[in-house]
Amino acid sequence: AQSVTQLGSHVSVSEGALVLLRCNYSSSVPPYLFWYVQYPNQGLQLLLKYTTGATLVKGINGFEAEFKKSETSFHLTKPSAHMSDAAEYFCAVSGGRDDKIIFGKGTRLHILP
Amino acid sequence: DAGVIQSPRHEVTEMGQEVTLRCKPISGHNSLFWYRQTMMRGLELLIYFNNNVPIDDSGMPEDRFSAKMPNASFSTLKIQPSEPRDSAVYFCAIQVTEAFFGQGTRLTVV
């Protein structure tokens, strides 16, 4: 079985500052890991995913995440926050292709001017 | 969003009425999921289908909820009778490796 924990339901950063959203997972099999973003009144949009191979994954809008098996983590980062990054971010895990995806409770990112 | 069309986008209904939410996947997939999102409980998986067959419906909250997938291009989620606590945004998603979400249906039961 899989589960995911996102640390911090709300995170605030200043525009131009580093964005770090934390995610830890639990999985009984090699996991597939995802980050999604949700803007108001919209569905979830995939930011990036890790399935196999390189552990540093680059996504859209300048975001990246690193799979660290030893720490069971998949934290999301962006070097410089932009006002347009304000949204809710979801970390998710699955046991592989066609396995159900389990989502964390989400982290709302606030960008301070 | 391009892979899934949900209708209606908004639904307001009175308690006790039947509600049917619709999902039309428009690209190839093996699996289809229904999720419910609320402020209190976040994003909950209700049910998922693989090759049009329900695989896991353990997330369906009560017998008032039912879902069908008669073919690969259509699925419905029905609530009968509806209650105010069913008010939420309901998402349909298709999955190959990652999930592709529809825009959601915002349901309000008054």
Side-chain angles (χ1 to χ4, degrees), chain B residues 23-36:
Chain B
C23 175
K24 290 186 177 181
I26 58 174
S27 57
H29 64 281
N30 291 328
S31 300
L32 183 142
F33 298 75
W34 283 98
Y35 291 90
R36 178 173 69 176

Side-chain angles (χ1 to χ4, degrees), chain B residues 77-98:
Chain B
L77 178 68
K78 182 182 293 187
I79 308 172
Q80 179 185 20
S82 58
E83 297 182 3
R85 59 193 168 124
D86 301 331
S87 297
V89 180
Y90 291 81
F91 288 103
C92 176
I94 59 172
Q95 180 178 335
V96 179
T97 297
E98 65 267 33

Side-chain angles (χ1 to χ4, degrees), chain A residues 98-109:
Chain A
D98 289 338
D99 189 34
K100 62 183 179 182
I101 297 177
I102 304 300
F103 286 83
K105 293 190 178 299
T107 297
R108 186 166 295 278
L109 177 63

Side-chain angles (χ1 to χ4, degrees), chain A residues 21-60:
Chain A
L21 304 183
R22 299 178 186 273
C23 172
N24 288 91
Y25 70 91
S26 173
S27 179
S28 55
V29 298
Y32 284 15
L33 295 159
F34 311 88
W35 275 99
Y36 284 81
V37 61
Q38 185 180 30
Y39 298 102
N41 300 314
Q42 294 190 22
L44 279 68
Q45 177 185 359
L46 182 70
L47 269 180
L48 49 80
K49 65 180 178 182
Y50 168 81
T51 54
T52 59
T55 56
L56 182 63
V57 180
K58 295 185 184 299
I60 63 172

